[in-house]
Amino acid sequence: EDKVVQSPLSLVVHEGDTVTLNCSYEVTNFRSLLWYKQEKKAPTFLFMLTSSGIEKKSGRLSSILDKKELFSILNITATQTGDSAVYLCAVGGSGGSNYKLTFGKGTLLTVNP
Amino acid sequence: DVKVTQSSRYLVKRTGEKVFLECVQDMDHENMFWYRQDPGLGLRLIYFSYDVKMKEKGDIPEGYSVSREKKERFSLILESASTNQTSMYLCASNTGPIGYTFGSGTRLTVV
């Protein structure tokens, strides 16, 4: 059974802090790892990672994948209150068109002013 | 942009009712999925479909069924709603090994 474990489950920081969110996984026939941000509605896409060691970056957010050690991290620098959300890690596995995502439980990030 | 539309944002139903949650996508995606999301449990896959009239059980199919008569529409059916099915239900679609596009979610309360 595919498994995704995120840590920490929740985190409270002050504006301006840097945070690192962790995601480890076990999945059959790994295809990709994705990060989503979820506020009070549906998750919105942040990054998709398929290759080890290549950092993806978008503004203050960045992410990297280690396929040997089976984990990924999501970094957020200079946090703002608008970064408060649940961050979801998901891993896609299986072959051909049989592609589906298994999600972790999420990390609830609270950024205080 | 791909759009995934869920017919209701909020729904309140009585125990024992048959409930239909509808999901429609407009980008000809082959794959469609239903998840439920609960605090502390994350997103759990209920059912998914790779083609019209095809369906596969996810991790928690008990108490649910699905229907996919047309490519763009994937319906989740609660045959006899129970209070433990109170949850946020998310529909998603994709094509190939890429991420999902999610609908806006339906928050179902069963009383």
mmCIF file of all heavy atoms in Angstrom, chain B residues 2-34:
data_model
loop_
_atom_site.group_PDB
_atom_site.id
_atom_site.type_symbol
_atom_site.label_atom_id
_atom_site.label_comp_id
_atom_site.label_asym_id
_atom_site.label_seq_id
_atom_site.Cartn_x
_atom_site.Cartn_y
_atom_site.Cartn_z
ATOM 1 N N VAL B 2 -8.244 24.333 -17.018
ATOM 2 C CA VAL B 2 -9.174 23.243 -16.746
ATOM 3 C C VAL B 2 -10.118 23.657 -15.640
ATOM 4 O O VAL B 2 -9.715 24.286 -14.665
ATOM 5 C CB VAL B 2 -8.412 21.980 -16.283
ATOM 6 C CG1 VAL B 2 -9.397 20.876 -15.927
ATOM 7 C CG2 VAL B 2 -7.449 21.535 -17.349
ATOM 8 N N LYS B 3 -11.369 23.342 -15.843
ATOM 9 C CA LYS B 3 -12.315 23.613 -14.774
ATOM 10 C C LYS B 3 -12.950 22.310 -14.328
ATOM 11 O O LYS B 3 -13.404 21.511 -15.155
ATOM 12 C CB LYS B 3 -13.407 24.563 -15.251
ATOM 13 C CG LYS B 3 -13.095 26.034 -14.970
ATOM 14 C CD LYS B 3 -14.277 26.881 -15.291
ATOM 15 C CE LYS B 3 -15.048 27.262 -14.059
ATOM 16 N NZ LYS B 3 -16.080 28.270 -14.324
ATOM 17 N N VAL B 4 -12.980 22.137 -13.017
ATOM 18 C CA VAL B 4 -13.697 21.026 -12.416
ATOM 19 C C VAL B 4 -14.770 21.632 -11.534
ATOM 20 O O VAL B 4 -14.453 22.385 -10.606
ATOM 21 C CB VAL B 4 -12.745 20.127 -11.604
ATOM 22 C CG1 VAL B 4 -13.528 19.001 -10.953
ATOM 23 C CG2 VAL B 4 -11.637 19.566 -12.491
ATOM 24 N N THR B 5 -15.999 21.320 -11.837
ATOM 25 C CA THR B 5 -17.120 21.952 -11.141
ATOM 26 C C THR B 5 -17.872 20.925 -10.323
ATOM 27 O O THR B 5 -18.296 19.883 -10.847
ATOM 28 C CB THR B 5 -18.077 22.596 -12.170
ATOM 29 O OG1 THR B 5 -17.342 23.530 -12.973
ATOM 30 C CG2 THR B 5 -19.207 23.324 -11.467
ATOM 31 N N GLN B 6 -18.025 21.228 -9.053
ATOM 32 C CA GLN B 6 -18.865 20.395 -8.181
ATOM 33 C C GLN B 6 -20.167 21.151 -7.957
ATOM 34 O O GLN B 6 -20.157 22.355 -7.691
ATOM 35 C CB GLN B 6 -18.150 20.110 -6.865
ATOM 36 C CG GLN B 6 -16.935 19.226 -7.061
ATOM 37 C CD GLN B 6 -16.242 18.847 -5.764
ATOM 38 O OE1 GLN B 6 -15.054 19.033 -5.635
ATOM 39 N NE2 GLN B 6 -16.996 18.318 -4.807
ATOM 40 N N SER B 7 -21.259 20.425 -8.047
ATOM 41 C CA SER B 7 -22.565 21.083 -8.154
ATOM 42 C C SER B 7 -22.965 21.843 -6.893
ATOM 43 O O SER B 7 -23.659 22.848 -6.972
ATOM 44 C CB SER B 7 -23.643 20.053 -8.499
ATOM 45 O OG SER B 7 -23.581 18.967 -7.597
ATOM 46 N N SER B 8 -22.522 21.380 -5.724
ATOM 47 C CA SER B 8 -22.942 22.064 -4.492
ATOM 48 C C SER B 8 -21.727 22.376 -3.640
ATOM 49 O O SER B 8 -20.812 21.565 -3.548
ATOM 50 C CB SER B 8 -23.900 21.186 -3.679
ATOM 51 O OG SER B 8 -24.989 20.763 -4.455
ATOM 52 N N ARG B 9 -21.703 23.541 -2.999
ATOM 53 C CA ARG B 9 -20.624 23.852 -2.053
ATOM 54 C C ARG B 9 -20.958 23.314 -0.655
ATOM 55 O O ARG B 9 -20.086 22.833 0.051
ATOM 56 C CB ARG B 9 -20.401 25.353 -1.972
ATOM 57 C CG ARG B 9 -19.778 25.985 -3.202
ATOM 58 C CD ARG B 9 -18.368 25.468 -3.454
ATOM 59 N NE ARG B 9 -17.460 25.712 -2.362
ATOM 60 C CZ ARG B 9 -16.772 26.839 -2.185
ATOM 61 N NH1 ARG B 9 -16.908 27.834 -3.018
ATOM 62 N NH2 ARG B 9 -15.948 26.967 -1.169
ATOM 63 N N TYR B 10 -22.224 23.431 -0.284
ATOM 64 C CA TYR B 10 -22.681 22.975 1.028
ATOM 65 C C TYR B 10 -23.968 22.178 0.837
ATOM 66 O O TYR B 10 -24.823 22.547 0.031
ATOM 67 C CB TYR B 10 -22.964 24.161 1.963
ATOM 68 C CG TYR B 10 -21.761 25.029 2.229
ATOM 69 C CD1 TYR B 10 -21.529 26.169 1.473
ATOM 70 C CD2 TYR B 10 -20.845 24.692 3.220
ATOM 71 C CE1 TYR B 10 -20.412 26.956 1.701
ATOM 72 C CE2 TYR B 10 -19.733 25.479 3.458
ATOM 73 C CZ TYR B 10 -19.520 26.609 2.698
ATOM 74 O OH TYR B 10 -18.416 27.388 2.927
ATOM 75 N N LEU B 11 -24.061 21.096 1.603
ATOM 76 C CA LEU B 11 -25.221 20.221 1.484
ATOM 77 C C LEU B 11 -25.542 19.678 2.871
ATOM 78 O O LEU B 11 -24.627 19.252 3.594
ATOM 79 C CB LEU B 11 -24.864 19.070 0.541
ATOM 80 C CG LEU B 11 -25.866 18.430 -0.375
ATOM 81 C CD1 LEU B 11 -26.637 19.467 -1.184
ATOM 82 C CD2 LEU B 11 -25.152 17.477 -1.326
ATOM 83 N N VAL B 12 -26.822 19.672 3.224
ATOM 84 C CA VAL B 12 -27.247 19.066 4.488
ATOM 85 C C VAL B 12 -28.290 18.008 4.147
ATOM 86 O O VAL B 12 -29.293 18.315 3.478
ATOM 87 C CB VAL B 12 -27.844 20.106 5.453
ATOM 88 C CG1 VAL B 12 -28.287 19.423 6.750
ATOM 89 C CG2 VAL B 12 -26.836 21.205 5.756
ATOM 90 N N LYS B 13 -28.061 16.791 4.583
ATOM 91 C CA LYS B 13 -28.959 15.681 4.279
ATOM 92 C C LYS B 13 -29.288 14.929 5.560
ATOM 93 O O LYS B 13 -28.556 14.993 6.552
ATOM 94 C CB LYS B 13 -28.303 14.723 3.275
ATOM 95 C CG LYS B 13 -28.056 15.330 1.907
ATOM 96 C CD LYS B 13 -29.353 15.612 1.188
ATOM 97 C CE LYS B 13 -29.126 16.192 -0.181
ATOM 98 N NZ LYS B 13 -30.404 16.444 -0.891
ATOM 99 N N ARG B 14 -30.403 14.192 5.498
ATOM 100 C CA ARG B 14 -30.805 13.407 6.666
ATOM 101 C C ARG B 14 -30.254 11.993 6.568
ATOM 102 O O ARG B 14 -30.057 11.457 5.472
ATOM 103 C CB ARG B 14 -32.324 13.357 6.750
ATOM 104 C CG ARG B 14 -32.965 14.716 7.021
ATOM 105 C CD ARG B 14 -34.415 14.558 7.478
ATOM 106 N NE ARG B 14 -35.010 15.862 7.690
ATOM 107 C CZ ARG B 14 -34.823 16.597 8.789
ATOM 108 N NH1 ARG B 14 -34.076 16.145 9.772
ATOM 109 N NH2 ARG B 14 -35.395 17.770 8.913
ATOM 110 N N THR B 15 -30.034 11.381 7.712
ATOM 111 C CA THR B 15 -29.606 9.989 7.789
ATOM 112 C C THR B 15 -30.569 9.113 6.991
ATOM 113 O O THR B 15 -31.793 9.253 7.113
ATOM 114 C CB THR B 15 -29.571 9.525 9.256
ATOM 115 O OG1 THR B 15 -28.669 10.356 9.983
ATOM 116 C CG2 THR B 15 -29.124 8.084 9.370
ATOM 117 N N GLY B 16 -29.990 8.219 6.169
ATOM 118 C CA GLY B 16 -30.801 7.297 5.393
ATOM 119 C C GLY B 16 -31.150 7.795 3.999
ATOM 120 O O GLY B 16 -31.591 7.005 3.152
ATOM 121 N N GLU B 17 -30.944 9.075 3.729
ATOM 122 C CA GLU B 17 -31.234 9.608 2.399
ATOM 123 C C GLU B 17 -30.217 9.106 1.380
ATOM 124 O O GLU B 17 -29.064 8.825 1.722
ATOM 125 C CB GLU B 17 -31.163 11.144 2.411
ATOM 126 C CG GLU B 17 -32.431 11.835 2.824
ATOM 127 C CD GLU B 17 -32.388 13.330 2.504
ATOM 128 O OE1 GLU B 17 -32.584 13.691 1.326
ATOM 129 O OE2 GLU B 17 -32.140 14.119 3.430
ATOM 130 N N LYS B 18 -30.617 9.037 0.137
ATOM 131 C CA LYS B 18 -29.696 8.756 -0.963
ATOM 132 C C LYS B 18 -29.180 10.112 -1.447
ATOM 133 O O LYS B 18 -29.972 11.018 -1.720
ATOM 134 C CB LYS B 18 -30.419 8.018 -2.088
ATOM 135 C CG LYS B 18 -29.481 7.468 -3.151
ATOM 136 C CD LYS B 18 -30.218 6.495 -4.068
ATOM 137 C CE LYS B 18 -29.271 5.829 -5.034
ATOM 138 N NZ LYS B 18 -29.916 4.794 -5.853
ATOM 139 N N VAL B 19 -27.858 10.227 -1.533
ATOM 140 C CA VAL B 19 -27.242 11.519 -1.851
ATOM 141 C C VAL B 19 -26.395 11.386 -3.108
ATOM 142 O O VAL B 19 -25.639 10.418 -3.261
ATOM 143 C CB VAL B 19 -26.344 11.998 -0.678
ATOM 144 C CG1 VAL B 19 -25.734 13.360 -1.002
ATOM 145 C CG2 VAL B 19 -27.148 12.068 0.617
ATOM 146 N N PHE B 20 -26.546 12.360 -3.983
ATOM 147 C CA PHE B 20 -25.764 12.398 -5.218
ATOM 148 C C PHE B 20 -24.857 13.631 -5.189
ATOM 149 O O PHE B 20 -25.343 14.750 -5.043
ATOM 150 C CB PHE B 20 -26.679 12.485 -6.447
ATOM 151 C CG PHE B 20 -27.509 11.269 -6.691
ATOM 152 C CD1 PHE B 20 -28.723 11.091 -6.045
ATOM 153 C CD2 PHE B 20 -27.074 10.285 -7.572
ATOM 154 C CE1 PHE B 20 -29.486 9.966 -6.269
ATOM 155 C CE2 PHE B 20 -27.839 9.153 -7.798
ATOM 156 C CZ PHE B 20 -29.047 8.987 -7.146
ATOM 157 N N LEU B 21 -23.556 13.400 -5.364
ATOM 158 C CA LEU B 21 -22.621 14.509 -5.529
ATOM 159 C C LEU B 21 -22.119 14.463 -6.960
ATOM 160 O O LEU B 21 -21.629 13.430 -7.421
ATOM 161 C CB LEU B 21 -21.447 14.386 -4.554
ATOM 162 C CG LEU B 21 -21.794 14.319 -3.063
ATOM 163 C CD1 LEU B 21 -20.522 14.295 -2.223
ATOM 164 C CD2 LEU B 21 -22.672 15.480 -2.644
ATOM 165 N N GLU B 22 -22.263 15.603 -7.646
ATOM 166 C CA GLU B 22 -21.932 15.640 -9.067
ATOM 167 C C GLU B 22 -20.635 16.400 -9.311
ATOM 168 O O GLU B 22 -20.359 17.411 -8.665
ATOM 169 C CB GLU B 22 -23.058 16.325 -9.847
ATOM 170 C CG GLU B 22 -24.427 15.706 -9.653
ATOM 171 C CD GLU B 22 -24.571 14.368 -10.341
ATOM 172 O OE1 GLU B 22 -23.720 14.044 -11.193
ATOM 173 O OE2 GLU B 22 -25.522 13.641 -10.021
ATOM 174 N N CYS B 23 -19.889 15.924 -10.294
ATOM 175 C CA CYS B 23 -18.633 16.564 -10.663
ATOM 176 C C CYS B 23 -18.522 16.569 -12.186
ATOM 177 O O CYS B 23 -18.705 15.510 -12.816
ATOM 178 C CB CYS B 23 -17.471 15.793 -10.052
ATOM 179 S SG CYS B 23 -15.843 16.412 -10.524
ATOM 180 N N VAL B 24 -18.211 17.730 -12.741
ATOM 181 C CA VAL B 24 -18.089 17.861 -14.191
ATOM 182 C C VAL B 24 -16.781 18.563 -14.514
ATOM 183 O O VAL B 24 -16.461 19.583 -13.906
ATOM 184 C CB VAL B 24 -19.267 18.673 -14.768
ATOM 185 C CG1 VAL B 24 -19.088 18.859 -16.274
ATOM 186 C CG2 VAL B 24 -20.586 17.995 -14.469
ATOM 187 N N GLN B 25 -16.023 17.999 -15.476
ATOM 188 C CA GLN B 25 -14.791 18.662 -15.933
ATOM 189 C C GLN B 25 -14.913 18.947 -17.430
ATOM 190 O O GLN B 25 -15.567 18.218 -18.162
ATOM 191 C CB GLN B 25 -13.550 17.818 -15.609
ATOM 192 C CG GLN B 25 -13.602 16.366 -16.030
ATOM 193 C CD GLN B 25 -13.014 16.070 -17.383
ATOM 194 O OE1 GLN B 25 -12.469 16.945 -18.062
ATOM 195 N NE2 GLN B 25 -13.118 14.823 -17.807
ATOM 196 N N ASP B 26 -14.235 20.019 -17.848
ATOM 197 C CA ASP B 26 -14.441 20.515 -19.209
ATOM 198 C C ASP B 26 -13.216 20.366 -20.110
ATOM 199 O O ASP B 26 -13.121 21.038 -21.141
ATOM 200 C CB ASP B 26 -14.901 21.974 -19.164
ATOM 201 C CG ASP B 26 -13.825 22.914 -18.621
ATOM 202 O OD1 ASP B 26 -12.731 22.442 -18.243
ATOM 203 O OD2 ASP B 26 -14.096 24.130 -18.540
ATOM 204 N N MET B 27 -12.269 19.508 -19.730
ATOM 205 C CA MET B 27 -11.043 19.417 -20.551
ATOM 206 C C MET B 27 -10.782 18.014 -21.072
ATOM 207 O O MET B 27 -9.645 17.673 -21.371
ATOM 208 C CB MET B 27 -9.833 19.901 -19.729
ATOM 209 C CG MET B 27 -9.717 21.398 -19.684
ATOM 210 S SD MET B 27 -9.480 22.151 -21.335
ATOM 211 C CE MET B 27 -7.810 21.636 -21.700
ATOM 212 N N ASP B 28 -11.810 17.216 -21.185
ATOM 213 C CA ASP B 28 -11.657 15.911 -21.838
ATOM 214 C C ASP B 28 -10.666 15.001 -21.101
ATOM 215 O O ASP B 28 -9.983 14.176 -21.723
ATOM 216 C CB ASP B 28 -11.207 16.109 -23.303
ATOM 217 C CG ASP B 28 -11.593 14.925 -24.174
ATOM 218 O OD1 ASP B 28 -12.671 14.336 -23.928
ATOM 219 O OD2 ASP B 28 -10.819 14.569 -25.086
ATOM 220 N N HIS B 29 -10.572 15.146 -19.792
ATOM 221 C CA HIS B 29 -9.659 14.308 -19.018
ATOM 222 C C HIS B 29 -10.197 12.888 -18.912
ATOM 223 O O HIS B 29 -11.386 12.683 -18.690
ATOM 224 C CB HIS B 29 -9.479 14.881 -17.611
ATOM 225 C CG HIS B 29 -8.542 16.038 -17.580
ATOM 226 N ND1 HIS B 29 -8.302 16.768 -16.424
ATOM 227 C CD2 HIS B 29 -7.759 16.590 -18.528
ATOM 228 C CE1 HIS B 29 -7.424 17.704 -16.683
ATOM 229 N NE2 HIS B 29 -7.086 17.632 -17.954
ATOM 230 N N GLU B 30 -9.282 11.924 -19.047
ATOM 231 C CA GLU B 30 -9.708 10.529 -18.908
ATOM 232 C C GLU B 30 -9.987 10.161 -17.460
ATOM 233 O O GLU B 30 -10.874 9.377 -17.173
ATOM 234 C CB GLU B 30 -8.617 9.579 -19.431
ATOM 235 C CG GLU B 30 -8.344 9.639 -20.924
ATOM 236 C CD GLU B 30 -7.296 10.676 -21.281
ATOM 237 O OE1 GLU B 30 -6.724 11.289 -20.360
ATOM 238 O OE2 GLU B 30 -7.056 10.870 -22.476
ATOM 239 N N ASN B 31 -9.183 10.703 -16.549
ATOM 240 C CA ASN B 31 -9.186 10.224 -15.170
ATOM 241 C C ASN B 31 -9.955 11.165 -14.260
ATOM 242 O O ASN B 31 -9.747 12.377 -14.289
ATOM 243 C CB ASN B 31 -7.752 10.115 -14.648
ATOM 244 C CG ASN B 31 -6.850 9.334 -15.588
ATOM 245 O OD1 ASN B 31 -7.287 8.378 -16.213
ATOM 246 N ND2 ASN B 31 -5.607 9.752 -15.697
ATOM 247 N N MET B 32 -10.803 10.580 -13.445
ATOM 248 C CA MET B 32 -11.523 11.374 -12.457
ATOM 249 C C MET B 32 -11.514 10.641 -11.135
ATOM 250 O O MET B 32 -11.480 9.412 -11.072
ATOM 251 C CB MET B 32 -12.954 11.668 -12.919
ATOM 252 C CG MET B 32 -12.987 12.525 -14.188
ATOM 253 S SD MET B 32 -14.627 13.079 -14.647
ATOM 254 C CE MET B 32 -14.925 14.387 -13.460
ATOM 255 N N PHE B 33 -11.564 11.425 -10.041
ATOM 256 C CA PHE B 33 -11.349 10.879 -8.697
ATOM 257 C C PHE B 33 -12.309 11.540 -7.706
ATOM 258 O O PHE B 33 -12.631 12.710 -7.838
ATOM 259 C CB PHE B 33 -9.920 11.182 -8.226
ATOM 260 C CG PHE B 33 -8.846 10.745 -9.187
ATOM 261 C CD1 PHE B 33 -8.482 11.558 -10.250
ATOM 262 C CD2 PHE B 33 -8.202 9.541 -9.018
ATOM 263 C CE1 PHE B 33 -7.495 11.165 -11.144
ATOM 264 C CE2 PHE B 33 -7.205 9.142 -9.903
ATOM 265 C CZ PHE B 33 -6.855 9.957 -10.964
ATOM 266 N N TRP B 34 -12.704 10.774 -6.711
ATOM 267 C CA TRP B 34 -13.415 11.318 -5.552
ATOM 268 C C TRP B 34 -12.608 11.019 -4.291
ATOM 269 O O TRP B 34 -12.238 9.876 -4.030
ATOM 270 C CB TRP B 34 -14.803 10.691 -5.403
ATOM 271 C CG TRP B 34 -15.850 11.350 -6.238
ATOM 272 C CD1 TRP B 34 -16.430 10.881 -7.362
ATOM 273 C CD2 TRP B 34 -16.464 12.624 -5.975
ATOM 274 N NE1 TRP B 34 -17.358 11.766 -7.842
ATOM 275 C CE2 TRP B 34 -17.398 12.843 -7.007
ATOM 276 C CE3 TRP B 34 -16.319 13.587 -4.976
ATOM 277 C CZ2 TRP B 34 -18.182 13.993 -7.067
ATOM 278 C CZ3 TRP B 34 -17.096 14.720 -5.040
ATOM 279 C CH2 TRP B 34 -18.011 14.919 -6.072
#
